[in-house]
Amino acid sequence: QKEVEQDPGPLSVPEGAIVSLNCTYSNSAFQYFMWYRQYSRKGPELLMYTYSSGNKEDGRFTAQVDKSSKYISLFIRDSQPSDSATYLCAMSEPDKLIFGTGTRLQVFP
Amino acid sequence: SAVISQKPSRDICQRGTSLTIQCQVDSQVTMMFWYRQQPGQSLTLIATANQGSEATYESGFVIDKFPISRPNLTFSTLTVSNMSPEDSSIYLCSVRPSGRGNEQYFGPGTRLTVT
């Protein structure tokens, strides 16, 4: 069993939809949770960073962490074609980041 | 955040040769990391490169194959030695700026193809 599981998609949605991206994990010691966005042929870009459980909102993006269920989510409201990218979840104990395989999102006009 | 550049952005190399990838950061950082991203797979940490100490390698990666230098707080190199087609991948450096908790920022990557 992988430490971090993420559905690879692709997930295809119409512009304006609410997108839900999710990861599950097995290591209860993870404390830091991140979401990265990666456009084709670019490096990952840090979108959201959360410590421990709870919600964090930044513009159209909301990150949720449920440590009791070992489940994290990223919600994108009013999705735009420019949101089309691969979204990677990542988590860590203090140091080493463990990544999911990424979910490819396509937002069509 | 930090601005990170990598050179080269891509390269095609022959089996048995070596390639050195450079990573430059616009600010001083203590912790730098090198990752590999293979198609359809997660980003995998190769090693942690801290200035003033030997790089720390993850399981499955060895110094003879992936020697790393970290001469100062803004620069690092990763060499992929004696390459085989299995080394074809994207190689990424990342940094963890001081005072930013556990946030990590990535460079644009180096796309390596070994023929």
Side-chain angles (χ1 to χ4, degrees):
Chain A
Q1 181 190 7
K2 291 182 180 178
E3 278 192 285
V4 179
E5 299 276 0
Q6 185 175 10
D7 188 332
L11 180 62
S12 186
V13 302
E15 182 175 357
I18 297 174
V19 175
S20 173
L21 303 167
N22 311 293
C23 288
T24 59
Y25 62 95
S26 57
N27 187 348
S28 58
F30 287 143
Q31 299 178 42
Y32 301 89
F33 303 90
M34 281 150 271
W35 286 95
Y36 287 85
R37 178 175 62 195
Q38 186 173 25
Y39 291 112
S40 180
R41 300 182 180 275
K42 301 289 186 184
E45 171 194 6
L46 181 61
L47 268 182
M48 301 290 283
Y49 171 78
T50 309
Y51 172 70
S52 194
S53 282
N55 294 357
K56 184 175 183 179
E57 187 173 322
D58 184 1
R60 296 185 296 113
F61 298 91
T62 299
Q64 287 186 352
V65 175
D66 182 350
K67 291 189 70 176
S68 63
S69 301
K70 298 190 181 69
Y71 188 87
I72 70 170
S73 301
L74 177 70
F75 298 95
I76 307 174
R77 291 182 298 280
D78 187 25
S79 56
Q80 303 295 310
S82 58
D83 294 326
S84 298
T86 297
Y87 290 80
L88 303 158
C89 65
M91 48 202 77
S92 70
E93 306 172 45
D95 289 326
K96 181 179 172 182
L97 280 185
I98 307 296
F99 282 85
T101 52
T103 299
R104 190 155 62 92
L105 171 66
Q106 296 174 333
V107 182
F108 56 89
Chain B
S1 66
V3 177
I4 305 165
S5 60
Q6 285 185 235
K7 290 182 181 179
S9 58
R10 61 175 58 224
D11 208 340
I12 301 173
C13 301
Q14 290 196 337
R15 180 196 301 261
T17 63
S18 298
L19 176 72
T20 295
I21 302 168
Q22 298 179 6
C23 179
Q24 180 76 51
V25 190
D26 69 340
S27 57
Q28 294 185 340
V29 294
T30 301
M31 301 191 75
M32 294 182 75
F33 308 87
W34 287 97
Y35 287 81
R36 183 172 71 182
Q37 186 175 29
Q38 295 181 309
Q41 297 187 25
S42 309
L43 272 77
T44 303
L45 180 63
I46 297 171
T48 301
N50 293 334
Q51 196 268 340
S53 63
E54 296 289 324
T56 303
Y57 290 82
E58 296 298 308
S59 175
F61 298 97
V62 295
I63 187 171
D64 290 346
K65 176 67 175 177
F66 297 101
I68 287 171
S69 77
R70 182 77 201 274
N72 57 52
L73 291 174
T74 62
F75 187 79
S76 178
T77 66
L78 170 75
T79 299
V80 186
S81 303
N82 187 24
M83 288 183 285
S84 66
E86 292 71 34
D87 295 319
S88 296
S89 187
I90 298 172
Y91 292 86
L92 296 140
C93 71
S94 77
V95 303
R96 184 186 299 162
S98 302
R100 299 299 299 265
N102 215 35
E103 295 179 9
Q104 280 191 29
Y105 298 91
F106 283 82
T110 296
R111 184 177 296 267
L112 171 62
T113 303
V114 184
T115 60

mmCIF file of all heavy atoms in Angstrom, chain B residues 86-111:
data_model
loop_
_atom_site.group_PDB
_atom_site.id
_atom_site.type_symbol
_atom_site.label_atom_id
_atom_site.label_comp_id
_atom_site.label_asym_id
_atom_site.label_seq_id
_atom_site.Cartn_x
_atom_site.Cartn_y
_atom_site.Cartn_z
ATOM 1 N N GLU B 86 16.869 4.095 -18.381
ATOM 2 C CA GLU B 86 16.022 4.136 -17.185
ATOM 3 C C GLU B 86 16.160 5.438 -16.409
ATOM 4 O O GLU B 86 15.327 5.759 -15.550
ATOM 5 C CB GLU B 86 16.346 2.962 -16.248
ATOM 6 C CG GLU B 86 15.974 1.587 -16.787
ATOM 7 C CD GLU B 86 16.860 1.137 -17.932
ATOM 8 O OE1 GLU B 86 18.068 1.482 -17.919
ATOM 9 O OE2 GLU B 86 16.348 0.460 -18.851
ATOM 10 N N ASP B 87 17.220 6.202 -16.686
ATOM 11 C CA ASP B 87 17.408 7.494 -16.028
ATOM 12 C C ASP B 87 16.630 8.609 -16.707
ATOM 13 O O ASP B 87 16.614 9.745 -16.219
ATOM 14 C CB ASP B 87 18.895 7.857 -16.005
ATOM 15 C CG ASP B 87 19.720 6.906 -15.161
ATOM 16 O OD1 ASP B 87 19.242 6.518 -14.064
ATOM 17 O OD2 ASP B 87 20.829 6.542 -15.587
ATOM 18 N N SER B 88 15.979 8.311 -17.815
ATOM 19 C CA SER B 88 15.154 9.317 -18.492
ATOM 20 C C SER B 88 14.033 9.733 -17.556
ATOM 21 O O SER B 88 13.228 8.905 -17.113
ATOM 22 C CB SER B 88 14.582 8.743 -19.786
ATOM 23 O OG SER B 88 15.609 8.431 -20.696
ATOM 24 N N SER B 89 13.980 11.024 -17.263
ATOM 25 C CA SER B 89 13.056 11.496 -16.246
ATOM 26 C C SER B 89 13.124 13.017 -16.203
ATOM 27 O O SER B 89 13.921 13.637 -16.903
ATOM 28 C CB SER B 89 13.451 10.915 -14.886
ATOM 29 O OG SER B 89 12.493 11.216 -13.907
ATOM 30 N N ILE B 90 12.293 13.604 -15.361
ATOM 31 C CA ILE B 90 12.420 15.026 -15.039
ATOM 32 C C ILE B 90 13.084 15.117 -13.674
ATOM 33 O O ILE B 90 12.673 14.450 -12.729
ATOM 34 C CB ILE B 90 11.047 15.710 -15.011
ATOM 35 C CG1 ILE B 90 10.381 15.623 -16.386
ATOM 36 C CG2 ILE B 90 11.192 17.173 -14.595
ATOM 37 C CD1 ILE B 90 8.944 16.090 -16.405
ATOM 38 N N TYR B 91 14.117 15.949 -13.593
ATOM 39 C CA TYR B 91 14.836 16.147 -12.340
ATOM 40 C C TYR B 91 14.541 17.565 -11.839
ATOM 41 O O TYR B 91 14.669 18.540 -12.586
ATOM 42 C CB TYR B 91 16.330 15.926 -12.526
ATOM 43 C CG TYR B 91 16.643 14.475 -12.814
ATOM 44 C CD1 TYR B 91 16.598 13.982 -14.122
ATOM 45 C CD2 TYR B 91 16.946 13.576 -11.788
ATOM 46 C CE1 TYR B 91 16.846 12.651 -14.394
ATOM 47 C CE2 TYR B 91 17.200 12.243 -12.047
ATOM 48 C CZ TYR B 91 17.143 11.784 -13.355
ATOM 49 O OH TYR B 91 17.382 10.457 -13.616
ATOM 50 N N LEU B 92 14.134 17.651 -10.588
ATOM 51 C CA LEU B 92 13.696 18.925 -10.016
ATOM 52 C C LEU B 92 14.475 19.235 -8.755
ATOM 53 O O LEU B 92 14.695 18.343 -7.924
ATOM 54 C CB LEU B 92 12.208 18.852 -9.647
ATOM 55 C CG LEU B 92 11.236 18.645 -10.810
ATOM 56 C CD1 LEU B 92 10.125 17.692 -10.413
ATOM 57 C CD2 LEU B 92 10.647 19.975 -11.231
ATOM 58 N N CYS B 93 14.881 20.475 -8.609
ATOM 59 C CA CYS B 93 15.406 20.893 -7.317
ATOM 60 C C CYS B 93 14.326 21.686 -6.586
ATOM 61 O O CYS B 93 13.444 22.286 -7.211
ATOM 62 C CB CYS B 93 16.693 21.692 -7.449
ATOM 63 S SG CYS B 93 16.514 23.339 -8.126
ATOM 64 N N SER B 94 14.383 21.636 -5.294
ATOM 65 C CA SER B 94 13.440 22.412 -4.489
ATOM 66 C C SER B 94 14.167 22.979 -3.284
ATOM 67 O O SER B 94 15.251 22.503 -2.908
ATOM 68 C CB SER B 94 12.242 21.565 -4.053
ATOM 69 O OG SER B 94 12.580 20.703 -2.995
ATOM 70 N N VAL B 95 13.574 23.992 -2.671
ATOM 71 C CA VAL B 95 14.174 24.628 -1.509
ATOM 72 C C VAL B 95 13.119 24.812 -0.433
ATOM 73 O O VAL B 95 11.918 24.902 -0.717
ATOM 74 C CB VAL B 95 14.802 25.998 -1.857
ATOM 75 C CG1 VAL B 95 15.839 25.844 -2.957
ATOM 76 C CG2 VAL B 95 13.744 27.015 -2.249
ATOM 77 N N ARG B 96 13.574 24.846 0.794
ATOM 78 C CA ARG B 96 12.710 25.177 1.921
ATOM 79 C C ARG B 96 13.265 26.449 2.558
ATOM 80 O O ARG B 96 14.263 26.403 3.288
ATOM 81 C CB ARG B 96 12.687 24.054 2.952
ATOM 82 C CG ARG B 96 11.711 24.330 4.110
ATOM 83 C CD ARG B 96 11.806 23.283 5.180
ATOM 84 N NE ARG B 96 11.459 21.977 4.650
ATOM 85 C CZ ARG B 96 11.779 20.834 5.257
ATOM 86 N NH1 ARG B 96 12.439 20.843 6.390
ATOM 87 N NH2 ARG B 96 11.435 19.692 4.731
ATOM 88 N N PRO B 97 12.652 27.600 2.254
ATOM 89 C CA PRO B 97 13.173 28.858 2.814
ATOM 90 C C PRO B 97 13.054 28.885 4.329
ATOM 91 O O PRO B 97 12.105 28.345 4.903
ATOM 92 C CB PRO B 97 12.271 29.922 2.165
ATOM 93 C CG PRO B 97 11.672 29.256 0.959
ATOM 94 C CD PRO B 97 11.527 27.817 1.331
ATOM 95 N N SER B 98 14.000 29.529 4.956
ATOM 96 C CA SER B 98 13.972 29.664 6.408
ATOM 97 C C SER B 98 12.765 30.488 6.840
ATOM 98 O O SER B 98 12.362 31.423 6.159
ATOM 99 C CB SER B 98 15.260 30.336 6.900
ATOM 100 O OG SER B 98 16.379 29.590 6.499
ATOM 101 N N GLY B 99 12.171 30.129 7.955
ATOM 102 C CA GLY B 99 11.052 30.887 8.488
ATOM 103 C C GLY B 99 9.736 30.654 7.780
ATOM 104 O O GLY B 99 8.761 31.361 8.039
ATOM 105 N N ARG B 100 9.685 29.688 6.863
ATOM 106 C CA ARG B 100 8.447 29.410 6.125
ATOM 107 C C ARG B 100 7.889 28.043 6.489
ATOM 108 O O ARG B 100 7.183 27.410 5.685
ATOM 109 C CB ARG B 100 8.695 29.498 4.620
ATOM 110 C CG ARG B 100 9.154 30.862 4.141
ATOM 111 C CD ARG B 100 8.141 31.949 4.414
ATOM 112 N NE ARG B 100 6.891 31.696 3.729
ATOM 113 C CZ ARG B 100 6.588 32.204 2.549
ATOM 114 N NH1 ARG B 100 7.451 32.969 1.921
ATOM 115 N NH2 ARG B 100 5.418 31.933 1.988
ATOM 116 N N GLY B 101 8.222 27.558 7.683
ATOM 117 C CA GLY B 101 7.732 26.261 8.108
ATOM 118 C C GLY B 101 8.246 25.176 7.207
ATOM 119 O O GLY B 101 9.430 25.099 6.909
ATOM 120 N N ASN B 102 7.326 24.312 6.754
ATOM 121 C CA ASN B 102 7.707 23.178 5.935
ATOM 122 C C ASN B 102 7.418 23.406 4.452
ATOM 123 O O ASN B 102 7.451 22.470 3.659
ATOM 124 C CB ASN B 102 6.957 21.933 6.415
ATOM 125 C CG ASN B 102 7.793 20.685 6.293
ATOM 126 O OD1 ASN B 102 8.984 20.725 6.485
ATOM 127 N ND2 ASN B 102 7.163 19.579 5.955
ATOM 128 N N GLU B 103 7.176 24.643 4.060
ATOM 129 C CA GLU B 103 6.871 24.929 2.656
ATOM 130 C C GLU B 103 8.090 24.643 1.794
ATOM 131 O O GLU B 103 9.211 24.978 2.150
ATOM 132 C CB GLU B 103 6.465 26.396 2.487
ATOM 133 C CG GLU B 103 5.180 26.762 3.193
ATOM 134 C CD GLU B 103 4.827 28.228 3.025
ATOM 135 O OE1 GLU B 103 5.496 28.906 2.218
ATOM 136 O OE2 GLU B 103 3.897 28.690 3.693
ATOM 137 N N GLN B 104 7.848 24.016 0.642
ATOM 138 C CA GLN B 104 8.914 23.768 -0.316
ATOM 139 C C GLN B 104 8.520 24.340 -1.664
ATOM 140 O O GLN B 104 7.361 24.225 -2.073
ATOM 141 C CB GLN B 104 9.188 22.262 -0.465
ATOM 142 C CG GLN B 104 10.043 21.676 0.633
ATOM 143 C CD GLN B 104 10.521 20.270 0.314
ATOM 144 O OE1 GLN B 104 10.701 19.904 -0.837
ATOM 145 N NE2 GLN B 104 10.732 19.480 1.360
ATOM 146 N N TYR B 105 9.505 24.912 -2.339
ATOM 147 C CA TYR B 105 9.284 25.514 -3.654
ATOM 148 C C TYR B 105 10.193 24.833 -4.665
ATOM 149 O O TYR B 105 11.342 24.509 -4.360
ATOM 150 C CB TYR B 105 9.559 27.024 -3.593
ATOM 151 C CG TYR B 105 8.628 27.723 -2.642
ATOM 152 C CD1 TYR B 105 8.974 27.890 -1.304
ATOM 153 C CD2 TYR B 105 7.392 28.174 -3.061
ATOM 154 C CE1 TYR B 105 8.108 28.504 -0.413
ATOM 155 C CE2 TYR B 105 6.512 28.795 -2.189
ATOM 156 C CZ TYR B 105 6.880 28.956 -0.862
ATOM 157 O OH TYR B 105 6.009 29.554 0.017
ATOM 158 N N PHE B 106 9.646 24.657 -5.860
ATOM 159 C CA PHE B 106 10.330 23.866 -6.876
ATOM 160 C C PHE B 106 10.829 24.707 -8.040
ATOM 161 O O PHE B 106 10.211 25.727 -8.397
ATOM 162 C CB PHE B 106 9.387 22.780 -7.426
ATOM 163 C CG PHE B 106 9.218 21.618 -6.494
ATOM 164 C CD1 PHE B 106 8.325 21.678 -5.431
ATOM 165 C CD2 PHE B 106 9.973 20.471 -6.665
ATOM 166 C CE1 PHE B 106 8.180 20.613 -4.563
ATOM 167 C CE2 PHE B 106 9.830 19.393 -5.807
ATOM 168 C CZ PHE B 106 8.937 19.471 -4.752
ATOM 169 N N GLY B 107 11.920 24.251 -8.620
ATOM 170 C CA GLY B 107 12.391 24.804 -9.870
ATOM 171 C C GLY B 107 11.577 24.272 -11.028
ATOM 172 O O GLY B 107 10.698 23.422 -10.859
ATOM 173 N N PRO B 108 11.893 24.733 -12.237
ATOM 174 C CA PRO B 108 11.113 24.335 -13.420
ATOM 175 C C PRO B 108 11.405 22.931 -13.906
ATOM 176 O O PRO B 108 10.660 22.383 -14.720
ATOM 177 C CB PRO B 108 11.525 25.368 -14.471
ATOM 178 C CG PRO B 108 12.888 25.806 -14.043
ATOM 179 C CD PRO B 108 12.887 25.758 -12.551
ATOM 180 N N GLY B 109 12.508 22.335 -13.424
ATOM 181 C CA GLY B 109 12.815 20.968 -13.833
ATOM 182 C C GLY B 109 13.755 20.887 -15.015
ATOM 183 O O GLY B 109 13.866 21.820 -15.825
ATOM 184 N N THR B 110 14.432 19.756 -15.102
ATOM 185 C CA THR B 110 15.294 19.409 -16.236
ATOM 186 C C THR B 110 14.783 18.107 -16.826
ATOM 187 O O THR B 110 14.742 17.092 -16.124
ATOM 188 C CB THR B 110 16.756 19.247 -15.801
ATOM 189 O OG1 THR B 110 17.254 20.495 -15.325
ATOM 190 C CG2 THR B 110 17.610 18.742 -16.950
ATOM 191 N N ARG B 111 14.387 18.164 -18.078
ATOM 192 C CA ARG B 111 13.844 16.973 -18.749
ATOM 193 C C ARG B 111 14.982 16.245 -19.433
ATOM 194 O O ARG B 111 15.584 16.760 -20.375
ATOM 195 C CB ARG B 111 12.771 17.388 -19.739
ATOM 196 C CG ARG B 111 12.060 16.244 -20.429
ATOM 197 C CD ARG B 111 10.972 16.769 -21.332
ATOM 198 N NE ARG B 111 9.917 17.452 -20.602
ATOM 199 C CZ ARG B 111 8.806 16.888 -20.162
ATOM 200 N NH1 ARG B 111 8.588 15.597 -20.409
ATOM 201 N NH2 ARG B 111 7.913 17.580 -19.507
#
